[in-house]
Structure formats: C-alpha cells, structure tokens
Amino acid sequence: MKNILFILISLLTFSMTAQDPTISTFLEKWENSKTYLIQIAEAMPESKYGYKPTERQMSFEAQMLHIMKNINWLGANYFDVKDVQASILENQKERIKQNIENSFSEIAYVVKHLETKELVVKIDFFTGKKTKLQMLNLLQDHVTHHRGQLIVYLNLNEIEPPSYVGW
C-alpha cells in the first residue's frame, strides 16, 4: 500500500511541476531567428539596402522593414505589446538592425510572461478564429518567408549568406 501511495503522490507531483515546453521552445527558436536575421542584415552592405531583384519586389531595406512592422503589428494586436522603442540612430543599417532587435525582444518579453493556457485562447483574425499559438507560428513563419527572400538578395549580389542559425 505504501508503494502505491508513493507512486500516486510522485505522479501527481510530477504532473503538477512538469512544464509545457511550448513557450520555451518558441523563445529559443525566436532568439535564433532574430540572430540569423541580424546576421543577414549585417552581411548586406548598406549601399545595397536599396537593391531589389525586379521592379515588382521590395528592396532589401523594405523587406527588413516589412518584417519589423509585421512583428510590431501582430504583437500590438494579439499579444498586448506596447509601443516598441524605435531607434533613432543616424546610420540606416544600424537603425534597422536595432529596430529589428527591439521588435523581436518585445515579442520575447511578452511571450516569456504568458501562461501556457493562454496559447489556446482564440482570437479574431482576418482569416477567422485563431489561437495565440497559431499567431506565434504565424510570426515565425512570416519572418522565415521574408528572410528566405533576403538570402536570395544576398546571393544575387554575390554575397555569401551567413550560416543558418536554427534550433
């Protein structure tokens, strides 16, 4: 009987203290995503920030700003991120890199303080009801999509992209 009671108490204690890895996994990937994007921004010379492969595509700089604005918009509308501190550095490249870092950091701060149960909360999105977890996936997916385009921009300028920073 003592053994059964011990096992039950152990299982109960374990289930109460076990943490869902969803938030920590997202934060690790988010940090690596930021690092990789900043390395890509660093690899492109500032003189080529206006580069666009075709007339209908965004420039390198516009892609970077689009990523940042999307992070800020999703963060403000779905994760209660307050105004992101905007860099006022004179140097265009450094200002963009700093603003990207600020945007990533604000999302990380808010997500770090979320309770796992909040991730299943459904919110209204223009494509229908989505969970906050789906919105986190959208944040990461959007960054990945445009970062892939930036890698092509580097290659078209014969600049070797930085090594992938993944999990």
Side-chain angles (χ1 to χ4, degrees), residues 138-167:
L138 174 61
L139 271 163
Q140 183 58 55
D141 188 54
H142 185 262
V143 171
T144 302
H145 168 72
H146 289 284
R147 189 177 57 221
Q149 292 173 318
L150 293 170
I151 290 169
V152 172
Y153 287 27
L154 291 174
N155 281 313
L156 290 172
N157 281 279
E158 299 183 17
I159 299 167
E160 185 172 343
S163 297
Y164 177 65
V165 178
W167 294 102

Side-chain angles (χ1 to χ4, degrees), residues 32 34 45 59 64 78 80-81 92 94 98 103 127 135-136 148 160 164:
N32 289 336
K34 174 181 80 174
S59 68
M64 294 292 292
Y78 302 103
D80 298 321
V81 170
Q92 170 194 28
E94 293 305 315
Q98 185 61 59
S103 295
T127 59
M135 298 309 292
L136 290 180
E160 185 172 343
Y164 177 65

Side-chain angles (χ1 to χ4, degrees), residues 106-152:
E106 286 300 320
I107 291 292
Y109 177 82
V110 170
V111 171
K112 193 179 296 180
H113 293 91
L114 280 178
E115 291 186 36
T116 303
K117 65 184 178 184
E118 291 179 65
L119 295 177
V120 297
V121 170
K122 292 213 175 205
I123 51 182
D124 289 322
F125 193 59
F126 70 91
T127 59
K129 293 271 189 196
K130 302 293 177 203
T131 65
K132 286 193 173 194
L133 179 57
Q134 287 175 299
M135 298 309 292
L136 290 180
N137 289 331
L138 174 61
L139 271 163
Q140 183 58 55
D141 188 54
H142 185 262
V143 171
T144 302
H145 168 72
H146 289 284
R147 189 177 57 221
Q149 292 173 318
L150 293 170
I151 290 169
V152 172

Side-chain angles (χ1 to χ4, degrees), residues 1-164:
M1 182 68 175
K2 282 185 177 179
N3 287 341
I4 293 174
L5 185 58
F6 174 77
I7 291 171
L8 288 173
I9 290 172
S10 296
L11 287 173
L12 181 61
T13 302
F14 175 76
S15 68
M16 290 172 55
T17 59
Q19 291 189 344
D20 182 317
T22 306
I23 290 175
S24 61
T25 300
F26 172 81
L27 289 171
E28 178 183 0
K29 181 62 184 152
W30 190 243
E31 182 65 26
N32 289 336
S33 185
K34 174 181 80 174
T35 299
Y36 192 32
L37 183 59
I38 296 301
Q39 288 175 355
I40 288 169
E42 186 59 39
M44 182 65 94
E46 186 173 358
S47 63
K48 299 233 181 218
Y49 263 51
Y51 173 78
K52 45 197 281 190
T54 68
E55 198 52 44
R56 66 184 172 90
Q57 292 176 288
M58 288 186 272
S59 68
F60 187 91
E61 177 182 11
Q63 290 274 10
M64 294 292 292
L65 293 173
H66 176 73
I67 292 169
M68 180 197 70
K69 288 175 184 176
N70 183 261
I71 293 170
N72 293 346
W73 180 78
L74 289 171
N77 287 288
Y78 302 103
F79 292 98
D80 298 321
V81 170
K82 305 303 178 220
D83 290 332
V84 177
Q85 180 77 26
S87 170
I88 56 170
L89 293 171
E90 292 290 325
N91 179 286
Q92 170 194 28
K93 180 175 177 175
E94 293 305 315
R95 183 178 63 250
I96 289 171
K97 286 176 18 187
Q98 185 61 59
N99 285 330
I100 290 280
E101 286 191 34
N102 293 348
S103 295
F104 270 85
S105 295
E106 286 300 320
I107 291 292
Y109 177 82
V110 170
V111 171
K112 193 179 296 180
H113 293 91
L114 280 178
E115 291 186 36
T116 303
K117 65 184 178 184
E118 291 179 65
L119 295 177
V120 297
V121 170
K122 292 213 175 205
I123 51 182
D124 289 322
F125 193 59
F126 70 91
T127 59
K129 293 271 189 196
K130 302 293 177 203
T131 65
K132 286 193 173 194
L133 179 57
Q134 287 175 299
M135 298 309 292
L136 290 180
N137 289 331
L138 174 61
L139 271 163
Q140 183 58 55
D141 188 54
H142 185 262
V143 171
T144 302
H145 168 72
H146 289 284
R147 189 177 57 221
Q149 292 173 318
L150 293 170
I151 290 169
V152 172
Y153 287 27
L154 291 174
N155 281 313
L156 290 172
N157 281 279
E158 299 183 17
I159 299 167
E160 185 172 343
S163 297
Y164 177 65

